Amino acid sequence: MEFHVFDTYVKSKHGHTMHFDVVTDESDVNKAILFAKEWLRSVGEEDAIVSTKECRFCHTESVPDDVEIEIMTNGYFISKLDGCPE
């Protein structure tokens, strides 16, 4: 199965940039933004601004089984790249 990757850059409350990908089976950027906001709330960054400027479609790819299970369970997977909380 192919999944859509949305490249996302947001400013943290401490001023540094967080770079992460939202990986989902949804091709709608607005759904990806909602998923990004949900994850940001879960890591204490609920005030981060996420719009189509910060979250953009990048590419489509297959994913490992564990990532696919998380997407099928939660709707999305966050691939933390730079500056994200553990």
Side-chain angles (χ1 to χ4, degrees), residues 66-82:
D66 59 330
V67 173
E68 185 171 349
I69 289 167
E70 187 163 334
I71 293 168
M72 294 297 106
T73 303
N74 301 321
Y76 66 96
F77 174 80
I78 299 297
S79 177
K80 302 174 196 172
L81 300 170
D82 295 304

Side-chain angles (χ1 to χ4, degrees), residues 16-76:
H16 70 275
T17 300
M18 294 187 294
H19 178 203
F20 58 92
D21 287 341
V22 178
V23 186
T24 180
D25 61 348
E26 301 277 348
S27 60
D28 180 7
V29 68
N30 292 312
K31 283 290 253 186
I33 289 168
L34 288 174
F35 294 144
K37 288 179 177 181
E38 181 178 308
W39 178 74
L40 287 162
R41 271 192 306 278
S42 77
V43 296
E45 292 286 349
E46 56 278 341
D47 294 329
I49 296 170
V50 187
S51 70
T52 54
K53 180 180 175 191
E54 293 81 19
C55 181
R56 296 182 180 180
F57 175 75
C58 184
H59 63 277
T60 301
E61 68 181 18
S62 57
V63 298
D65 288 344
D66 59 330
V67 173
E68 185 171 349
I69 289 167
E70 187 163 334
I71 293 168
M72 294 297 106
T73 303
N74 301 321
Y76 66 96

